[in-house]
Amino acid sequence: MRVRRSPVLVSVFALCLLLPGAAAAQTTGALRGLVAGEDGRPLVGATIAIASSSQSVGGRGAVSGEGGAFLIVSLPPARDYVVQAAYPGCAIVTVSQVEVAAGQTTTVRLV
């Protein structure tokens, strides 16, 4: 016996599998940025740490890569993120009250 599959039914099924992932992606945000020294040159290997007291987020972070860039994903939305960058031989730079919105990527520059 041969089972006949409707192309419409297969498409609807595939769409149902993809929708939960798309919906989940809209419940978090991301933080991207650039770390630079006082002279404006990018700092590769800087340690970035973030925290939000309202969302109990701590212990999250990244290390800046080529061009001093970093990206931290899957952050719960909040308006009180504190972002710190540390690099050997440089003072720790702190930016407070950084807002991360659902479905958005916030950009910060740490100098």
Side-chain angles (χ1 to χ4, degrees):
M1 183 165 131
R2 189 172 184 182
V3 178
R4 187 174 170 197
R5 294 185 182 108
S6 164
V8 172
L9 184 59
V10 171
S11 297
V12 170
F13 180 72
L15 185 61
C16 289
L17 290 176
L18 295 174
L19 284 178
Q26 297 300 313
T27 61
T28 62
L31 182 67
R32 113 176 55 199
L34 227 52
V35 183
E38 289 180 2
D39 60 1
R41 295 175 64 183
L43 297 178
V44 177
T47 303
I48 295 89
I50 62 163
S52 166
S53 59
S54 69
Q55 292 294 329
S56 300
V57 173
R60 301 276 311 266
V63 175
S64 63
E66 189 171 328
F70 68 90
L71 176 66
I72 304 169
V73 297
S74 300
L75 297 172
R79 294 183 172 146
D80 68 338
Y81 278 97
V82 175
V83 184
Q84 288 189 326
Y87 189 80
C90 295
I92 294 175
V93 176
T94 303
V95 178
S96 300
Q97 301 303 309
V98 175
E99 181 176 357
V100 173
Q104 302 290 318
T105 299
T106 301
T107 302
V108 296
R109 184 170 169 87
L110 303 163
V111 180

